[in-house]
């Protein structure tokens, strides 16, 4: 099933150790047209902690 990536922007992500963040952007493989990394922000209001998460570490989104 196809879904728009716009629906995943600001989606909440959670690490194994319990840290929570929000999806900010996606990095693509321009030859294969697939998502390679998700750019997530794990910082607070004024202090950004952006991390790139490889696609291999992501699970299926909970769309509810």
């Amino acid at each position: 099933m196809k879904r728009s990536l716009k629906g995943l922007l600001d989606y909440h992500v959670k690490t194994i150790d319990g840290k929570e963040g929000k999806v900010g952007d996606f990095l693509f493989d321009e030859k294969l047209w697939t998502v390679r990394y998700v750019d997530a922000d794990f910082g607070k209001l004024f202090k950004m902690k952006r991390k790139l998460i490889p696609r291999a570490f992501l699970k299926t989104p909970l769309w509810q």
Side-chain angles (χ1 to χ4, degrees), residues 13-50:
V13 292
K14 191 173 187 179
T15 63
I16 293 172
D17 59 352
K19 294 181 182 175
E20 293 189 16
K22 286 187 178 183
V23 173
D25 208 353
F26 302 91
L27 282 84
F28 282 88
D29 182 331
E30 55 185 53
K31 290 183 181 177
L32 299 176
W33 279 87
T34 59
V35 174
R36 295 290 303 245
Y37 297 94
V38 171
D39 179 16
D41 182 16
F42 290 94
K44 301 291 182 208
L45 185 60
F46 294 109
K47 190 174 183 182
M48 294 177 60
K49 285 188 176 182
R50 295 175 67 185

